Amino acid sequence: FVEGRHLDDDGSVLLRFEEGAKGMLWASQVAAGEENALRIRIYGENGGLEWANEDPNNLTIKMLGEPRQVFRTGNAYNAPNQFSSFATHNTRIPSGHPEGLLESFGNIYRNFAQTVSAKLEGKTPTAEMLDFPQVHEGVRGMAFIENVVNNNNGSEKWTKFVV
């Protein structure tokens, strides 16, 4: 832990979402030996999925009673459909080549520029073009952090997220 910081260097938050889903967020600047170990894991009744920033081309699907499946970027099985059009739209290189952090920012800037161009031309931007954070997401993110800090300083252990 670093003296003088306004936020903790390590923290966890238990989450309850609408519709009853539950989650946990752990963020740490003091996990010795880790680099930028962003990981997303989602589990449901019948299985889960996992993605890790340090291995960004893989999405692992884990279904009950079935072997794990690993989906990799840039492959034909990711052909555009209702679920993968965003992945296909935002993949820039063929399979077998690493794609990562810089490309993700490039995608955000490109999608924003395509949206602006479409609007200037009087066209409706596609859903793929609109795939970039908007003001609402930024405000929600800052409100989430403020709520977590306020909760940590208060006596309540569960608080309703207020934007």
Side-chain angles (χ1 to χ4, degrees):
F1 298 90
V2 178
E3 294 263 344
R5 290 253 175 107
H6 295 290
L7 292 174
D8 289 342
D9 291 311
D10 184 78
S12 61
V13 178
L14 296 174
L15 306 165
R16 284 188 287 201
F17 298 95
E18 292 180 15
E19 308 294 326
K22 296 176 183 167
M24 196 254 323
L25 169 68
W26 174 52
S28 180
Q29 292 292 320
V30 294
E34 291 289 350
E35 293 178 5
N36 188 19
L38 172 64
R39 289 185 195 101
I40 299 171
R41 296 178 183 144
I42 301 172
Y43 297 97
E45 288 181 34
N46 299 311
L49 61 86
E50 182 173 345
W51 177 85
N53 184 59
E54 292 175 336
D55 193 13
N57 287 353
N58 293 337
L59 175 67
T60 304
I61 308 294
K62 304 176 254 187
M63 301 303 292
L64 283 178
E66 296 180 21
R68 291 179 181 207
Q69 291 183 297
V70 177
F71 289 84
R72 295 188 46 81
T73 58
N75 286 289
Y77 53 75
N78 293 328
N81 63 45
Q82 65 178 351
F83 302 110
S84 68
S85 65
F86 292 93
T88 303
H89 177 77
N90 288 311
T91 297
R92 295 166 173 250
I93 55 180
S95 63
H97 299 282
E99 187 166 3
L101 183 65
L102 296 178
E103 289 84 355
S104 65
F105 285 104
N107 288 334
I108 290 170
Y109 302 144
R110 182 210 47 217
N111 293 347
F112 176 78
Q114 288 177 340
T115 296
V116 170
S117 292
K119 289 187 175 192
L120 288 173
E121 295 170 8
K123 298 177 183 174
T124 302
T126 66
E128 290 84 6
M129 289 177 189
L130 291 167
D131 185 26
F132 60 88
Q134 313 236 345
V135 171
H136 176 74
E137 284 84 12
V139 170
R140 268 184 73 79
M142 296 306 295
F144 176 77
I145 293 168
E146 183 177 46
N147 276 264
V148 169
V149 170
N150 288 340
N151 178 270
N152 185 57
N153 295 331
S155 60
E156 294 292 321
K157 292 303 159 203
W158 287 100
T159 57
K160 186 167 179 78
F161 175 55
V162 180
V163 178

